[in-house]
Every structure is written in structure tokens, then in C-alpha cells.
Amino acid sequence: MESSISRDIVAWMADPANNALAPGLAEPAFDSPLVGCASGADPLFAWLRDDIGPDFYWTPAQALQLAFPGREMRPEAVTVIAWVLPQTARTLEAHRRCRELPSLAWSQVRHYGEMINENLRRFVVETLAGQGIAAAAPVLLPQWNRATSARYGFASCWSERHAAHACGLGTFGLSDGLITPAGKAMRVGSVVAEMVLPPTPRPYTRHDEWCLRAAGVACRSCIKRCPAGAISEAGHDKELCFNYIRNVTAPYVARELLPGIPVNSCGLCQTGTPCEHGIPKRPRKRPAGEQTGELAGQGEAAG
Ligand code: SF4
Ligand code: SF4
């Protein structure tokens, strides 16, 4: 996506004053962002609302309407701008070594990095407002809330990962993480705005196309990386994941890493996997009759 707002996002993140791993550190929290956009009239958004929760999930126009009540927002006049903030090589290296508990760097990104992501959302909204464009960050709206999806369990009114998927930035993996061109180890954000931008092409047709399993490869890397047993051939058990983070990793972070701050940090399934820092490569086609093997150990944590 090449637009002035895309360039503004990249420039804002390149400023060390905006992108520090922790207060007072010179080290960046994130690598350079990827940015994409989609039309509010893209049928995928209505499909997502109906699939996730027609009674609570927002389309882009509905989210923007909440921020600007009394002003009609036509879906075709609304654009979603989404971004991916990739973890740095240093954070990946530190986290790959962890087996059961998160690294300091990952926990710093989960805490301070998410504050950067929030500031970026505000920056985008304010930049567009300065150009006379109505814009809002759905997850920062006071109406944003968690909900229970009949189909998927824990959910919310607006999913940053699904917005990024619609904006051509990635497809879902077995662990529910979004596999992007910069990998699955990243954070996402989005803003909806009353403007028309050319949509970013979606270089996939399936929601899980970049996960190796969608290509028939019996990859088990994220299953093996999860210390809570929350990932299986059947997918991601959100409740087991939530309980592990709430009962084990968040108290650990508050006790040992960032005193007094119980950060919801884990993400072990996002590192040490073939999809960690890029779209995983499909194996060469094997001769007919030869069985497709499991990618045992590929991309596993070092040490
Ligand atoms: S580790 Fe393998 S199975 Fe898990 S999301 Fe990545 S590619 Fe898919
Ligand atoms: S975030 Fe942690 S607990 Fe949850 S699925 Fe990933 S590795 Fe397992």
C-alpha cells in the first residue's frame, strides 16, 4: 500500500522517540511496519460479522458510525487501514530460547510495545483528522468490548487480526496467530476512516493459506511450542491459553521480569516455528507415492 498515510505510519515508527522497547532504552520495540487497506464495502467484513457474532461484531462503517453518531457512514466511503508491527530479530532470538515462560524482551513488547501501538492508532486518527477526514481506532472506542462468539468462544467487537487479514496482510495459522509476510511474531493495529483508498490485493484465497497445514504439511511446531497444551491438531483452545497466561505467565512477569506489572505475555507459539518471521516455505513436491512427512523440529527453539 503506497499512500501518504502509509508513509506517515512508516515514518512515525522509524522515529526512535516513538518506538522504544522500554522507557529510556534506545533499542526499538518493532521493525518497520507493513501497511495494507481494504474498502469498508468489502463483503469479507459483513461475512466476518455474521461468522463471528452478528449481534456484537462491527463492520468498519458501524465502528466509524459509533465514533461519529448522527453522521451516516456508507460502507463504500469507508476504508480500513491496518498495520503489522514485526518483532525484532533480538526479541525473536531471546524468545526462541524460552520453553515455558516468556522472555523479558517479549514481555516488554507486550506491555510497552502495545502502548506504542495505541499511540500509533491515535497518531493515525489525528493525522487524518488534521486532513478533515473522520477516523477512529475501533479498539480504542469506549464501546469496544469483549463478547462470546457462539462459534469461536472468546471474541470482541473488533478483531485487529481479522482486519489485517482483510487488508491483505496475512492468513491464520493453526495457533490462531496471523501469519504475515513478516511472520507470525508481530502485533497488529487498525483504524477506520471516511476516505477511499485503493484496496491492497489479498494474495490468498483461503483464510489459512500460509499455514503449512493448509498445504498438507503435518507441521506441529506451534503445537510443540505451547507449554499449556493449548494447541492441537484441532486448533487453538482459547480457554487453556487464557488460563495459562492468567495463572502462570502474567504472575511470573510481575514477579520476575517487570516488577508489579502482570503482563499477559506468552507468545511462545509465535517463535521457534517455520512461520515465525515470514511466510513458511512449502516443501518441494515429492515424487508420487512418497509420504509427506512432518516438519519435525523445523524452526524449533535453539538451545
Ligand atoms: S507452526 Fe506450522 S502449523 Fe503452526 S501456524 Fe505455523 S505453519 Fe501453521
Ligand atoms: S500464547 Fe502461550 S499458552 Fe497460548 S497458545 Fe501460544 S504458547 Fe500456548
Side-chain angles (χ1 to χ4, degrees):
M1 174 191 175
E2 257 304 318
S3 68
S4 112
I5 193 64
S6 160
R7 285 190 291 275
D8 289 342
I9 290 170
V10 172
W12 190 88
M13 286 300 295
D15 183 343
N18 299 327
N19 181 18
L21 182 59
L25 291 188
E27 193 176 338
F30 298 107
D31 277 346
S32 188
L34 310 177
V35 185
C37 68
S39 165
D42 188 321
L44 183 54
F45 289 112
W47 187 89
L48 287 171
R49 180 200 55 205
D50 295 343
D51 188 53
I52 295 172
D55 50 337
F56 65 84
Y57 198 77
W58 297 334
T59 62
Q62 282 174 320
L64 196 53
Q65 186 88 62
L66 287 168
F68 295 89
R71 186 159 152 182
E72 195 205 342
M73 294 293 173
R74 291 177 300 112
E76 61 276 18
V78 174
T79 286
V80 180
I81 301 155
W83 54 83
V84 166
L85 305 178
Q87 300 275 6
T88 66
R90 278 171 67 102
T91 297
L92 293 178
E93 197 193 333
H95 210 56
R96 237 179 261 141
R97 286 198 294 264
C98 299
R99 296 283 180 186
E100 295 191 344
L101 295 166
S103 60
L104 172 62
W106 190 276
S107 305
Q108 287 170 317
V109 172
R110 182 68 185 79
H111 186 63
Y112 300 113
E114 190 46 39
M115 291 180 186
I116 293 168
N117 201 4
E118 284 198 5
N119 289 339
L120 177 57
R121 292 180 184 104
R122 289 190 192 99
F123 165 75
V124 172
V125 169
E126 282 160 20
T127 301
L128 293 172
Q131 298 165 15
I133 297 169
V139 302
L140 297 184
L141 287 173
Q143 297 93 337
W144 183 88
N145 218 336
R146 298 193 185 281
T148 303
S149 162
R151 199 145 177 217
Y152 302 107
F154 296 145
S156 66
C157 310
W158 180 262
S159 158
E160 297 289 41
R161 280 176 301 128
H162 287 81
H165 170 68
C167 291
L169 292 174
T171 78
F172 292 87
L174 181 69
S175 59
D176 271 355
L178 194 73
I179 302 173
T180 76
K184 193 169 65 172
M186 51 87 213
R187 296 200 66 76
V188 269
S190 69
V191 155
V192 291
E194 193 180 25
M195 67 192 300
V196 176
L197 289 174
T200 306
R202 279 198 287 272
Y204 36 79
T205 51
R206 283 177 59 142
H207 75 285
D208 59 353
E209 196 162 315
W210 291 345
C211 175
L212 285 172
R213 296 184 78 88
V217 179
C219 177
R220 292 176 55 83
S221 286
C222 55
I223 296 176
K224 289 191 277 185
R225 282 286 284 158
C226 177
I231 308 170
S232 68
E233 308 277 343
H236 177 221
D237 185 321
K238 291 183 187 176
E239 206 160 323
L240 281 178
C241 173
F242 175 83
N243 288 337
Y244 187 73
I245 292 172
R246 186 182 55 182
N247 299 328
V248 180
T249 63
Y252 165 75
V253 174
R255 204 173 54 242
E256 309 281 341
L257 301 181
L258 298 170
I261 310 179
V263 183
N264 288 335
S265 168
C266 182
L268 293 164
C269 54
Q270 293 176 35
T271 58
T273 64
C275 53
E276 173 200 88
H277 57 268
I279 301 167
K281 290 202 170 32
R282 268 67 178 144
R284 232 176 357 97
K285 277 227 162 37
R286 291 160 191 251
E290 193 179 327
Q291 213 182 353
T292 305
E294 176 192 340
L295 280 187
Q298 181 172 329
E300 275 291 294

